Amino acid sequence: MARRRQSVTIKHVAADAGVSLQTVSRVINNEANVRPEMKERVQASIDKLGYVPSIAAQRMSGSRSYLILALNDRDRTIEDWRAREGRDWVDQMLLGGMLKCAEYGYRLIFELVDTHSDHVERELNAVIAAVQPDGVILTPPHSDNKLITDLLESSGIRFARIGSRANGENISITMGDDELAAMATRHLLEKGHERIAFIAGSMEYAITQWRKDGWKAAMREAGLPTEGLCEIGDFSYDSGDAATRTLLAKKERPTAIIAGNDQMAMAANAVAHELGMHVPGDLSIISFDNTPVVRFVQPPLTAIDQPVAETVSRAVELLITSSRGEKMPPMPVVVEGKLVERQSVAALRPSHGNDD
């Protein structure tokens, strides 16, 4: 019977590198107070011996758990997964969060919590008790759920709010949604559009109001009215369908629509085609999110790309930085998105009119 290979431990690494256990621990935990040459020596021994740090051992050696907990809204996440329509918010969360955690020797734990449930406090307490995270990442609408943030504060757990500008001692990160909406609006203005409509998402999300504000600000700067050009949806395809029909039924209908997410934008595109309109000839469309599916509709949709992976990566980094007592940047931190141009936007035709 083959002999079981002996596990490589931190003691083996320390002996090989000729340093103390504490020095190896500081290198493994990526702490700042290690000289570069010492870090290189310890890392060389780790690589040579094939040592893999154990989170269980790390947790026993100090007060940290080396786990970051990311929370997402249960109902919306499950609905998106079941729909299988190419929405990749969770994928991007995991991409950014897991890779950044790995850089620091942490692990990312992903959990779903129903923000509307009467049992949200019990659910969250159960997760915290089981995981004992060093930090928590909150995504909308959890980011501004006072019950959740108060619970985390009372538990002494650091948290990072994505899509929140809330002040206080915790971390807040935005993607500059107001400026992104203004960017989309200005892009259409440069193409000659003046009647630019906006389909907003659920007002439960703070980002919805920011985007609406950005659209209105850009229109105001151009001296153009917004009255009658905004409809409220809930981020669903059906709500985008209803909002688009209302907008396009107006005597002076819009020549362009900015939608608060890809599902509502795709609905706008479908309704326009159903009504015999050409996109972008008769109606230009810009979406928010830039999930994979918008590249495959006809025409492919111009979209505001939200840097979800980069934002979650930044949240992880700031949580770990905070846990070490290092200097933090001014809040909120803004991780800026960009406009991705495709075929759903065109210059307004000089002869374009709204008469049927």
Side-chain angles (χ1 to χ4, degrees), residues 228-248:
L229 288 173
C230 181
E231 293 293 323
I232 306 297
D234 62 8
F235 293 123
S236 69
Y237 185 96
D238 288 345
S239 72
D241 181 292
T244 304
R245 292 183 190 278
T246 299
L247 290 167
L248 296 183

Side-chain angles (χ1 to χ4, degrees), residues 147-168:
L147 181 63
I148 292 176
T149 57
D150 284 354
L151 189 154
L152 292 173
E153 284 183 345
S154 66
S155 301
I157 297 175
R158 296 178 183 86
F159 57 91
R161 302 179 178 192
I162 292 177
S164 175
R165 293 173 179 164
N167 293 322

Side-chain angles (χ1 to χ4, degrees), residues 302-322:
T302 293
I304 292 293
D305 183 75
Q306 289 198 288
V308 177
E310 185 181 350
T311 301
V312 176
S313 174
R314 188 76 172 116
V316 167
E317 189 172 48
L318 289 170
L319 283 169
I320 295 172
T321 297
S322 174

Side-chain angles (χ1 to χ4, degrees), residues 54-71:
S54 161
I55 283 185
Q58 287 175 292
R59 293 180 75 162
M60 286 191 298
S61 66
S63 59
R64 298 180 193 171
S65 69
Y66 296 91
L67 297 175
I68 300 294
L69 174 65
L71 298 178

Side-chain angles (χ1 to χ4, degrees), residues 22-31 34-35 38-40 42-43 46:
Q22 289 179 325
T23 298
V24 177
S25 179
R26 287 198 294 268
V27 171
I28 291 170
N29 295 326
N30 202 25
E31 294 181 11
V34 182
R35 297 196 310 275
M38 188 64 70
K39 186 173 182 178
E40 287 180 14
V42 173
Q43 189 59 53
I46 288 172

